[in-house]
PDB file of all heavy atoms in Angstrom:
ATOM      1  N   THR Z 256       0.836  -1.198   0.000  1.00  0.00           N
ATOM      2  CA  THR Z 256      -0.005   0.004  -0.003  1.00  0.00           C
ATOM      3  C   THR Z 256       0.877   1.247  -0.001  1.00  0.00           C
ATOM      4  O   THR Z 256       1.708   1.425   0.889  1.00  0.00           O
ATOM      5  CB  THR Z 256      -0.913   0.025   1.238  1.00  0.00           C
ATOM      6  OG1 THR Z 256      -1.663  -1.180   1.273  1.00  0.00           O
ATOM      7  CG2 THR Z 256      -1.875   1.216   1.197  1.00  0.00           C
ATOM      8  N   VAL Z 257       0.696   2.077  -1.014  1.00  0.00           N
ATOM      9  CA  VAL Z 257       1.416   3.336  -1.057  1.00  0.00           C
ATOM     10  C   VAL Z 257       0.407   4.461  -1.271  1.00  0.00           C
ATOM     11  O   VAL Z 257      -0.680   4.207  -1.805  1.00  0.00           O
ATOM     12  CB  VAL Z 257       2.486   3.350  -2.203  1.00  0.00           C
ATOM     13  CG1 VAL Z 257       3.687   2.513  -1.809  1.00  0.00           C
ATOM     14  CG2 VAL Z 257       1.920   2.896  -3.532  1.00  0.00           C
ATOM     15  N   PRO Z 258       0.723   5.702  -0.863  1.00  0.00           N
ATOM     16  CA  PRO Z 258       1.968   6.082  -0.231  1.00  0.00           C
ATOM     17  C   PRO Z 258       2.094   5.561   1.196  1.00  0.00           C
ATOM     18  O   PRO Z 258       1.124   5.561   1.942  1.00  0.00           O
ATOM     19  CB  PRO Z 258       1.918   7.594  -0.248  1.00  0.00           C
ATOM     20  CG  PRO Z 258       0.444   7.922  -0.191  1.00  0.00           C
ATOM     21  CD  PRO Z 258      -0.206   6.834  -0.996  1.00  0.00           C
ATOM     22  N   THR Z 259       3.280   5.107   1.517  1.00  0.00           N
ATOM     23  CA  THR Z 259       3.624   4.792   2.897  1.00  0.00           C
ATOM     24  C   THR Z 259       4.781   5.709   3.251  1.00  0.00           C
ATOM     25  O   THR Z 259       5.664   5.943   2.412  1.00  0.00           O
ATOM     26  CB  THR Z 259       3.979   3.306   3.084  1.00  0.00           C
ATOM     27  OG1 THR Z 259       2.788   2.538   3.002  1.00  0.00           O
ATOM     28  CG2 THR Z 259       4.638   3.036   4.437  1.00  0.00           C
ATOM     29  N   VAL Z 260       4.750   6.251   4.452  1.00  0.00           N
ATOM     30  CA  VAL Z 260       5.749   7.235   4.863  1.00  0.00           C
ATOM     31  C   VAL Z 260       6.443   6.721   6.107  1.00  0.00           C
ATOM     32  O   VAL Z 260       5.792   6.185   7.013  1.00  0.00           O
ATOM     33  CB  VAL Z 260       5.039   8.584   5.146  1.00  0.00           C
ATOM     34  CG1 VAL Z 260       5.976   9.561   5.829  1.00  0.00           C
ATOM     35  CG2 VAL Z 260       4.513   9.174   3.838  1.00  0.00           C
ATOM     36  N   GLY Z 261       7.770   6.877   6.172  1.00  0.00           N
ATOM     37  CA  GLY Z 261       8.513   6.520   7.365  1.00  0.00           C
ATOM     38  C   GLY Z 261       9.210   7.751   7.909  1.00  0.00           C
ATOM     39  O   GLY Z 261       9.849   8.501   7.151  1.00  0.00           O
ATOM     40  N   ILE Z 262       9.072   8.003   9.210  1.00  0.00           N
ATOM     41  CA  ILE Z 262       9.780   9.102   9.854  1.00  0.00           C
ATOM     42  C   ILE Z 262      10.512   8.537  11.045  1.00  0.00           C
ATOM     43  O   ILE Z 262       9.873   8.124  12.023  1.00  0.00           O
ATOM     44  CB  ILE Z 262       8.798  10.216  10.277  1.00  0.00           C
ATOM     45  CG1 ILE Z 262       7.988  10.730   9.082  1.00  0.00           C
ATOM     46  CG2 ILE Z 262       9.551  11.389  10.961  1.00  0.00           C
ATOM     47  CD1 ILE Z 262       6.742  11.470   9.456  1.00  0.00           C
ATOM     48  N   ALA Z 263      11.821   8.454  10.951  1.00  0.00           N
ATOM     49  CA  ALA Z 263      12.650   7.883  12.041  1.00  0.00           C
ATOM     50  C   ALA Z 263      12.106   6.526  12.476  1.00  0.00           C
ATOM     51  O   ALA Z 263      12.074   6.212  13.651  1.00  0.00           O
ATOM     52  CB  ALA Z 263      12.711   8.854  13.213  1.00  0.00           C
ATOM     53  N   GLY Z 264      11.661   5.731  11.508  1.00  0.00           N
ATOM     54  CA  GLY Z 264      11.176   4.396  11.812  1.00  0.00           C
ATOM     55  C   GLY Z 264       9.708   4.297  12.169  1.00  0.00           C
ATOM     56  O   GLY Z 264       9.172   3.203  12.317  1.00  0.00           O
ATOM     57  N   HIS Z 265       9.027   5.429  12.289  1.00  0.00           N
ATOM     58  CA  HIS Z 265       7.585   5.419  12.515  1.00  0.00           C
ATOM     59  C   HIS Z 265       6.903   5.345  11.163  1.00  0.00           C
ATOM     60  O   HIS Z 265       7.071   6.238  10.357  1.00  0.00           O
ATOM     61  CB  HIS Z 265       7.147   6.679  13.267  1.00  0.00           C
ATOM     62  CG  HIS Z 265       7.710   6.766  14.649  1.00  0.00           C
ATOM     63  ND1 HIS Z 265       7.138   6.155  15.757  1.00  0.00           N
ATOM     64  CD2 HIS Z 265       8.843   7.363  15.103  1.00  0.00           C
ATOM     65  CE1 HIS Z 265       7.887   6.390  16.813  1.00  0.00           C
ATOM     66  NE2 HIS Z 265       8.930   7.119  16.460  1.00  0.00           N
ATOM     67  N   MET Z 266       6.179   4.269  10.913  1.00  0.00           N
ATOM     68  CA  MET Z 266       5.612   4.051   9.598  1.00  0.00           C
ATOM     69  C   MET Z 266       4.134   4.460   9.559  1.00  0.00           C
ATOM     70  O   MET Z 266       3.362   4.119  10.444  1.00  0.00           O
ATOM     71  CB  MET Z 266       5.735   2.568   9.207  1.00  0.00           C
ATOM     72  CG  MET Z 266       7.170   2.053   9.208  1.00  0.00           C
ATOM     73  SD  MET Z 266       8.322   2.967   8.127  1.00  0.00           S
ATOM     74  CE  MET Z 266       7.616   2.560   6.501  1.00  0.00           C
ATOM     75  N   LEU Z 267       3.789   5.213   8.515  1.00  0.00           N
ATOM     76  CA  LEU Z 267       2.416   5.684   8.330  1.00  0.00           C
ATOM     77  C   LEU Z 267       1.943   5.215   6.964  1.00  0.00           C
ATOM     78  O   LEU Z 267       2.579   5.530   5.954  1.00  0.00           O
ATOM     79  CB  LEU Z 267       2.356   7.217   8.372  1.00  0.00           C
ATOM     80  CG  LEU Z 267       3.039   7.897   9.578  1.00  0.00           C
ATOM     81  CD1 LEU Z 267       3.124   9.403   9.355  1.00  0.00           C
ATOM     82  CD2 LEU Z 267       2.296   7.584  10.855  1.00  0.00           C
ATOM     83  N   VAL Z 268       0.858   4.470   6.915  1.00  0.00           N
ATOM     84  CA  VAL Z 268       0.351   3.951   5.640  1.00  0.00           C
ATOM     85  C   VAL Z 268      -0.749   4.883   5.131  1.00  0.00           C
ATOM     86  O   VAL Z 268      -1.742   5.111   5.824  1.00  0.00           O
ATOM     87  CB  VAL Z 268      -0.189   2.511   5.797  1.00  0.00           C
ATOM     88  CG1 VAL Z 268      -0.735   2.001   4.475  1.00  0.00           C
ATOM     89  CG2 VAL Z 268       0.933   1.604   6.302  1.00  0.00           C
ATOM     90  N   ASN Z 269      -0.534   5.438   3.955  1.00  0.00           N
ATOM     91  CA  ASN Z 269      -1.452   6.375   3.308  1.00  0.00           C
ATOM     92  C   ASN Z 269      -1.942   7.457   4.286  1.00  0.00           C
ATOM     93  O   ASN Z 269      -3.132   7.648   4.481  1.00  0.00           O
ATOM     94  CB  ASN Z 269      -2.645   5.614   2.717  1.00  0.00           C
ATOM     95  CG  ASN Z 269      -3.427   6.462   1.731  1.00  0.00           C
ATOM     96  OD1 ASN Z 269      -3.029   7.587   1.366  1.00  0.00           O
ATOM     97  ND2 ASN Z 269      -4.548   5.963   1.280  1.00  0.00           N
ATOM     98  N   PRO Z 270      -1.006   8.202   4.893  1.00  0.00           N
ATOM     99  CA  PRO Z 270      -1.409   9.191   5.900  1.00  0.00           C
ATOM    100  C   PRO Z 270      -1.857  10.506   5.282  1.00  0.00           C
ATOM    101  O   PRO Z 270      -1.403  10.860   4.196  1.00  0.00           O
ATOM    102  CB  PRO Z 270      -0.107   9.424   6.668  1.00  0.00           C
ATOM    103  CG  PRO Z 270       0.953   9.272   5.591  1.00  0.00           C
ATOM    104  CD  PRO Z 270       0.450   8.185   4.680  1.00  0.00           C
ATOM    105  N   PRO Z 271      -2.733  11.241   5.968  1.00  0.00           N
ATOM    106  CA  PRO Z 271      -2.988  12.627   5.559  1.00  0.00           C
ATOM    107  C   PRO Z 271      -1.743  13.453   5.865  1.00  0.00           C
ATOM    108  O   PRO Z 271      -0.994  13.133   6.782  1.00  0.00           O
ATOM    109  CB  PRO Z 271      -4.169  13.056   6.424  1.00  0.00           C
ATOM    110  CG  PRO Z 271      -4.143  12.132   7.598  1.00  0.00           C
ATOM    111  CD  PRO Z 271      -3.478  10.852   7.153  1.00  0.00           C
ATOM    112  N   VAL Z 272      -1.511  14.509   5.083  1.00  0.00           N
ATOM    113  CA  VAL Z 272      -0.280  15.287   5.254  1.00  0.00           C
ATOM    114  C   VAL Z 272      -0.165  15.886   6.655  1.00  0.00           C
ATOM    115  O   VAL Z 272       0.921  15.994   7.196  1.00  0.00           O
ATOM    116  CB  VAL Z 272      -0.146  16.369   4.159  1.00  0.00           C
ATOM    117  CG1 VAL Z 272      -1.142  17.507   4.359  1.00  0.00           C
ATOM    118  CG2 VAL Z 272       1.281  16.923   4.112  1.00  0.00           C
ATOM    119  N   ARG Z 273      -1.306  16.209   7.288  1.00  0.00           N
ATOM    120  CA  ARG Z 273      -1.216  16.795   8.626  1.00  0.00           C
ATOM    121  C   ARG Z 273      -0.634  15.817   9.638  1.00  0.00           C
ATOM    122  O   ARG Z 273       0.051  16.202  10.584  1.00  0.00           O
ATOM    123  CB  ARG Z 273      -2.556  17.362   9.101  1.00  0.00           C
ATOM    124  CG  ARG Z 273      -3.607  16.338   9.326  1.00  0.00           C
ATOM    125  CD  ARG Z 273      -4.909  16.937   9.875  1.00  0.00           C
ATOM    126  NE  ARG Z 273      -5.862  15.860  10.084  1.00  0.00           N
ATOM    127  CZ  ARG Z 273      -6.573  15.312   9.105  1.00  0.00           C
ATOM    128  NH1 ARG Z 273      -6.469  15.773   7.873  1.00  0.00           N
ATOM    129  NH2 ARG Z 273      -7.402  14.322   9.369  1.00  0.00           N
ATOM    130  N   LEU Z 274      -0.895  14.509   9.429  1.00  0.00           N
ATOM    131  CA  LEU Z 274      -0.320  13.496  10.319  1.00  0.00           C
ATOM    132  C   LEU Z 274       1.196  13.409  10.085  1.00  0.00           C
ATOM    133  O   LEU Z 274       1.972  13.277  11.027  1.00  0.00           O
ATOM    134  CB  LEU Z 274      -0.981  12.132  10.084  1.00  0.00           C
ATOM    135  CG  LEU Z 274      -0.483  10.997  10.983  1.00  0.00           C
ATOM    136  CD1 LEU Z 274      -0.772  11.298  12.472  1.00  0.00           C
ATOM    137  CD2 LEU Z 274      -1.134   9.679  10.594  1.00  0.00           C
ATOM    138  N   VAL Z 275       1.605  13.488   8.828  1.00  0.00           N
ATOM    139  CA  VAL Z 275       3.030  13.481   8.500  1.00  0.00           C
ATOM    140  C   VAL Z 275       3.730  14.629   9.230  1.00  0.00           C
ATOM    141  O   VAL Z 275       4.755  14.463   9.874  1.00  0.00           O
ATOM    142  CB  VAL Z 275       3.282  13.571   6.975  1.00  0.00           C
ATOM    143  CG1 VAL Z 275       4.768  13.670   6.673  1.00  0.00           C
ATOM    144  CG2 VAL Z 275       2.653  12.369   6.261  1.00  0.00           C
ATOM    145  N   GLU Z 276       3.115  15.820   9.130  1.00  0.00           N
ATOM    146  CA  GLU Z 276       3.697  17.009   9.787  1.00  0.00           C
ATOM    147  C   GLU Z 276       3.761  16.830  11.288  1.00  0.00           C
ATOM    148  O   GLU Z 276       4.731  17.206  11.938  1.00  0.00           O
ATOM    149  CB  GLU Z 276       2.835  18.237   9.477  1.00  0.00           C
ATOM    150  CG  GLU Z 276       2.988  18.742   8.071  1.00  0.00           C
ATOM    151  CD  GLU Z 276       2.215  20.026   7.844  1.00  0.00           C
ATOM    152  OE1 GLU Z 276       0.975  20.012   7.993  1.00  0.00           O
ATOM    153  OE2 GLU Z 276       2.853  21.044   7.561  1.00  0.00           O
ATOM    154  N   GLU Z 277       2.690  16.255  11.859  1.00  0.00           N
ATOM    155  CA  GLU Z 277       2.597  16.056  13.301  1.00  0.00           C
ATOM    156  C   GLU Z 277       3.706  15.114  13.797  1.00  0.00           C
ATOM    157  O   GLU Z 277       4.392  15.418  14.769  1.00  0.00           O
ATOM    158  CB  GLU Z 277       1.222  15.470  13.593  1.00  0.00           C
ATOM    159  CG  GLU Z 277       0.776  15.534  15.035  1.00  0.00           C
ATOM    160  CD  GLU Z 277      -0.605  14.909  15.166  1.00  0.00           C
ATOM    161  OE1 GLU Z 277      -1.560  15.402  14.520  1.00  0.00           O
ATOM    162  OE2 GLU Z 277      -0.723  13.940  15.925  1.00  0.00           O
ATOM    163  N   ILE Z 278       3.848  13.974  13.129  1.00  0.00           N
ATOM    164  CA  ILE Z 278       4.878  12.997  13.533  1.00  0.00           C
ATOM    165  C   ILE Z 278       6.253  13.585  13.339  1.00  0.00           C
ATOM    166  O   ILE Z 278       7.134  13.432  14.187  1.00  0.00           O
ATOM    167  CB  ILE Z 278       4.713  11.664  12.756  1.00  0.00           C
ATOM    168  CG1 ILE Z 278       3.330  11.053  13.010  1.00  0.00           C
ATOM    169  CG2 ILE Z 278       5.825  10.682  13.122  1.00  0.00           C
ATOM    170  CD1 ILE Z 278       3.038  10.618  14.430  1.00  0.00           C
ATOM    171  N   LEU Z 279       6.477  14.274  12.218  1.00  0.00           N
ATOM    172  CA  LEU Z 279       7.758  14.924  11.935  1.00  0.00           C
ATOM    173  C   LEU Z 279       8.113  15.901  13.065  1.00  0.00           C
ATOM    174  O   LEU Z 279       9.236  15.898  13.574  1.00  0.00           O
ATOM    175  CB  LEU Z 279       7.672  15.646  10.590  1.00  0.00           C
ATOM    176  CG  LEU Z 279       8.978  16.090   9.941  1.00  0.00           C
ATOM    177  CD1 LEU Z 279       9.912  14.922   9.710  1.00  0.00           C
ATOM    178  CD2 LEU Z 279       8.678  16.791   8.621  1.00  0.00           C
ATOM    179  N   ALA Z 280       7.148  16.715  13.453  1.00  0.00           N
ATOM    180  CA  ALA Z 280       7.383  17.694  14.532  1.00  0.00           C
ATOM    181  C   ALA Z 280       7.695  17.006  15.856  1.00  0.00           C
ATOM    182  O   ALA Z 280       8.597  17.427  16.590  1.00  0.00           O
ATOM    183  CB  ALA Z 280       6.165  18.597  14.677  1.00  0.00           C
ATOM    184  N   LYS Z 281       6.983  15.916  16.158  1.00  0.00           N
ATOM    185  CA  LYS Z 281       7.204  15.208  17.419  1.00  0.00           C
ATOM    186  C   LYS Z 281       8.566  14.537  17.440  1.00  0.00           C
ATOM    187  O   LYS Z 281       9.221  14.510  18.483  1.00  0.00           O
ATOM    188  CB  LYS Z 281       6.089  14.175  17.641  1.00  0.00           C
ATOM    189  CG  LYS Z 281       4.786  14.823  18.085  1.00  0.00           C
ATOM    190  CD  LYS Z 281       3.718  13.779  18.347  1.00  0.00           C
ATOM    191  CE  LYS Z 281       2.452  14.465  18.874  1.00  0.00           C
ATOM    192  NZ  LYS Z 281       1.343  13.535  19.025  1.00  0.00           N
ATOM    193  N   VAL Z 282       8.974  13.972  16.306  1.00  0.00           N
ATOM    194  CA  VAL Z 282      10.302  13.345  16.238  1.00  0.00           C
ATOM    195  C   VAL Z 282      11.395  14.419  16.351  1.00  0.00           C
ATOM    196  O   VAL Z 282      12.356  14.265  17.095  1.00  0.00           O
ATOM    197  CB  VAL Z 282      10.452  12.504  14.953  1.00  0.00           C
ATOM    198  CG1 VAL Z 282      11.923  12.075  14.755  1.00  0.00           C
ATOM    199  CG2 VAL Z 282       9.561  11.284  14.990  1.00  0.00           C
ATOM    200  N   ALA Z 283      11.182  15.532  15.640  1.00  0.00           N
ATOM    201  CA  ALA Z 283      12.169  16.614  15.646  1.00  0.00           C
ATOM    202  C   ALA Z 283      12.332  17.232  17.042  1.00  0.00           C
ATOM    203  O   ALA Z 283      13.431  17.575  17.454  1.00  0.00           O
ATOM    204  CB  ALA Z 283      11.763  17.709  14.636  1.00  0.00           C
ATOM    205  N   SER Z 284      11.221  17.323  17.785  1.00  0.00           N
ATOM    206  CA  SER Z 284      11.267  17.917  19.110  1.00  0.00           C
ATOM    207  C   SER Z 284      11.752  16.933  20.176  1.00  0.00           C
ATOM    208  O   SER Z 284      12.017  17.310  21.317  1.00  0.00           O
ATOM    209  CB  SER Z 284       9.884  18.427  19.512  1.00  0.00           C
ATOM    210  OG  SER Z 284       9.034  17.329  19.803  1.00  0.00           O
ATOM    211  N   GLY Z 285      11.815  15.656  19.809  1.00  0.00           N
ATOM    212  CA  GLY Z 285      12.263  14.642  20.760  1.00  0.00           C
ATOM    213  C   GLY Z 285      11.112  14.060  21.561  1.00  0.00           C
ATOM    214  O   GLY Z 285      11.306  13.196  22.402  1.00  0.00           O
ATOM    215  N   GLU Z 286       9.879  14.523  21.296  1.00  0.00           N
ATOM    216  CA  GLU Z 286       8.727  13.998  21.987  1.00  0.00           C
ATOM    217  C   GLU Z 286       8.495  12.535  21.613  1.00  0.00           C
ATOM    218  O   GLU Z 286       8.011  11.741  22.406  1.00  0.00           O
ATOM    219  CB  GLU Z 286       7.507  14.846  21.583  1.00  0.00           C
ATOM    220  CG  GLU Z 286       6.244  14.530  22.383  1.00  0.00           C
ATOM    221  CD  GLU Z 286       5.049  15.347  21.898  1.00  0.00           C
ATOM    222  OE1 GLU Z 286       5.247  16.489  21.425  1.00  0.00           O
ATOM    223  OE2 GLU Z 286       3.921  14.826  21.980  1.00  0.00           O
ATOM    224  N   LEU Z 287       8.860  12.200  20.390  1.00  0.00           N
ATOM    225  CA  LEU Z 287       8.711  10.835  19.891  1.00  0.00           C
ATOM    226  C   LEU Z 287      10.109  10.293  19.567  1.00  0.00           C
ATOM    227  O   LEU Z 287      10.810  10.903  18.759  1.00  0.00           O
ATOM    228  CB  LEU Z 287       7.847  10.895  18.626  1.00  0.00           C
ATOM    229  CG  LEU Z 287       7.029   9.693  18.208  1.00  0.00           C
ATOM    230  CD1 LEU Z 287       6.124   9.197  19.332  1.00  0.00           C
ATOM    231  CD2 LEU Z 287       6.173  10.059  17.014  1.00  0.00           C
ATOM    232  N   ALA Z 288      10.501   9.237  20.237  1.00  0.00           N
ATOM    233  CA  ALA Z 288      11.843   8.672  20.011  1.00  0.00           C
ATOM    234  C   ALA Z 288      11.875   7.920  18.683  1.00  0.00           C
ATOM    235  O   ALA Z 288      10.878   7.320  18.296  1.00  0.00           O
ATOM    236  CB  ALA Z 288      12.217   7.738  21.141  1.00  0.00           C
ATOM    237  N   PRO Z 289      13.002   7.969  17.990  1.00  0.00           N
ATOM    238  CA  PRO Z 289      13.125   7.176  16.765  1.00  0.00           C
ATOM    239  C   PRO Z 289      12.942   5.685  17.059  1.00  0.00           C
ATOM    240  O   PRO Z 289      13.341   5.215  18.118  1.00  0.00           O
ATOM    241  CB  PRO Z 289      14.553   7.463  16.283  1.00  0.00           C
ATOM    242  CG  PRO Z 289      14.936   8.741  16.962  1.00  0.00           C
ATOM    243  CD  PRO Z 289      14.203   8.751  18.269  1.00  0.00           C
TER     244      PRO Z 289
END
């Protein structure tokens, strides 16, 4: 299933862009560990 997105090992299958932004921000801030 694509698009699938991975952010520091967190995998999102066919995510809305706002979820991509949210996870990206959480990983960048350290709130979400890789």
